[in-house]
């Protein structure tokens, strides 16, 4: 079955790095996503990684994928107060299938 | 180039009523999916439309139905509204002819009183 799990809450100081972790169960997942959602807003796609990749870096964001352990992480370097939001990990098997989301990790950045 | 648009932005209904939400996909996209995001939860897949037919469905009752039009826009209909249907309803679009990821709209917030 499909299940995506995340820790519920993370608090970091401004300027530190944040690492948000996620585990998934569907080994056929082709795309793995990180979305950001600010209060009262829709979903913003931050980045995604193909399942045949181990790492993807995009400016302050680094995604690491351990396919053997079905573990995905998002590292945000030099975390800013504007990064405070809920971050969702999500998986998609590919072939235009449904996207399965985790319950979200609330990131609180302390000035 | 407009992204995914949804209307209305907010909606208030009472129990037992019916509601229709609308979505216009990103230009060039032909596949539309609908998601329900209850407060404090991640989005849950409702169904997906392609070529005006429902292609996949999540674990939602028949009270949830949809439609896709020839211009690829889509509607989500919910009958006999329950308090538990209060949520943010998100539409996402993609193109089956490309490797493009899904793009999400801003959502419609439905409150059922």
């Amino acid at each position: 079955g499909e299940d995506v799990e995340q820790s519920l809450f993370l608090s970091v100081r401004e300027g530190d790095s944040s690492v948000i972790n996620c585990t998934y169960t569907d080994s056929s997942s082709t795309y793995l996503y990180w979305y950001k959602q600010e209060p009262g807003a829709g979903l913003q796609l931050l980045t995604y990684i193909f399942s045949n990749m181990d790492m993807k870096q995009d400016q302050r964001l680094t995604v690491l994928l351990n396919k053997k352990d079905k573990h995905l992480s998002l590292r945000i370097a030099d975390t800013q107060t504007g990064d405070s939001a809920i971050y969702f990990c999500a998986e998609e098997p590919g072939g235009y299938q449904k996207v399965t989301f985790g319950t979200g990790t609330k990131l609180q950045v302390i000035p | 180039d407009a992204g995914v648009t949804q209307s209305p932005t907010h909606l208030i209904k009472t129990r037992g009523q019916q509601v229709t939400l609308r979505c216009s996909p990103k230009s060039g996209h032909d596949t539309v999916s609908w998601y329900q995001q209850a407060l404090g939860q991640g989005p849950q897949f409702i169904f997906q439309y392609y070529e005006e037919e429902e292609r996949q469905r999540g674990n939602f009752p028949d009270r949830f139905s949809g439609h896709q039009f020839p211009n690829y826009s889509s509607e989500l209909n919910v009958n006999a509204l329950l308090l538990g249907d209060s949520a943010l309803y998100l539409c996402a679009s993609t193109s089956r002819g490309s490797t493009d990821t899904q793009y999400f709209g801003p959502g419609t917030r439905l409150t059922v009183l």
Side-chain angles (χ1 to χ4, degrees):
Chain A
E2 306 143 354
D3 196 15
V4 179
E5 294 188 355
Q6 304 176 237
S7 53
L8 292 180
F9 188 77
L10 176 66
S11 180
V12 299
R13 292 208 172 274
E14 189 174 19
D16 289 349
S17 292
S18 308
V19 179
I20 303 172
N21 295 301
C22 165
T23 58
Y24 61 98
T25 57
D26 190 348
S27 58
S28 67
S29 290
T30 300
Y31 299 94
L32 293 142
Y33 301 97
W34 284 104
Y35 285 90
K36 176 183 179 182
Q37 188 173 42
E38 298 184 62
L43 291 171
Q44 175 192 354
L45 177 64
L46 283 179
T47 186
Y48 65 95
I49 189 169
F50 290 105
S51 59
N52 61 359
M53 298 168 64
D54 297 324
M55 186 184 84
K56 181 178 180 180
Q57 188 156 1
D58 184 1
Q59 298 182 339
R60 292 191 297 122
L61 306 178
T62 303
V63 178
L64 295 178
L65 174 60
N66 181 329
K67 197 173 180 181
K68 174 177 171 289
D69 295 336
K70 298 190 182 71
H71 182 268
L72 184 73
S73 68
L74 173 69
R75 178 177 181 270
I76 305 173
D78 187 25
T79 311
Q80 303 296 307
T81 54
D83 295 325
S84 293
I86 297 176
Y87 290 79
F88 290 97
C89 169
E91 62 175 352
E92 180 186 350
Y96 320 105
Q97 301 295 309
K98 67 177 184 178
V99 178
T100 300
F101 288 83
T103 52
T105 299
K106 184 173 183 179
L107 174 64
Q108 178 188 51
V109 182
I110 303 167
Chain B
D1 177 24
V4 180
T5 59
Q6 294 185 242
S7 63
T9 306
H10 294 87
L11 203 52
I12 299 174
K13 293 285 188 178
T14 57
R15 280 179 296 175
Q17 286 190 310
Q18 179 263 345
V19 69
T20 297
L21 310 181
R22 295 176 176 81
C23 170
S24 291
K26 186 175 186 287
S27 178
H29 285 184
D30 56 13
T31 302
V32 174
S33 299
W34 286 91
Y35 293 78
Q36 180 196 65
Q37 186 180 19
L39 196 62
Q41 301 294 319
Q44 299 288 319
F45 176 79
I46 303 175
F47 42 53
Q48 182 184 83
Y49 276 83
Y50 172 67
E51 290 187 333
E52 302 179 48
E53 289 188 15
E54 183 182 295
R55 300 291 176 165
Q56 299 177 72
R57 190 178 182 91
N59 189 25
F60 279 81
D62 292 345
R63 298 186 298 108
F64 289 77
S65 63
H67 189 76
Q68 186 179 34
F69 299 93
N71 67 353
Y72 309 118
S73 66
S74 177
E75 287 182 349
L76 164 66
N77 301 293
V78 187
N79 294 322
L81 284 167
L82 304 174
L83 295 179
D85 295 331
S86 294
L88 180 68
Y89 288 85
L90 296 161
C91 169
S93 73
T94 190
S95 170
R96 290 195 175 220
S98 77
T99 57
D100 218 356
T101 61
Q102 296 200 43
Y103 287 78
F104 280 84
T108 293
R109 188 163 298 280
L110 172 65
T111 303
V112 182
L113 301 176

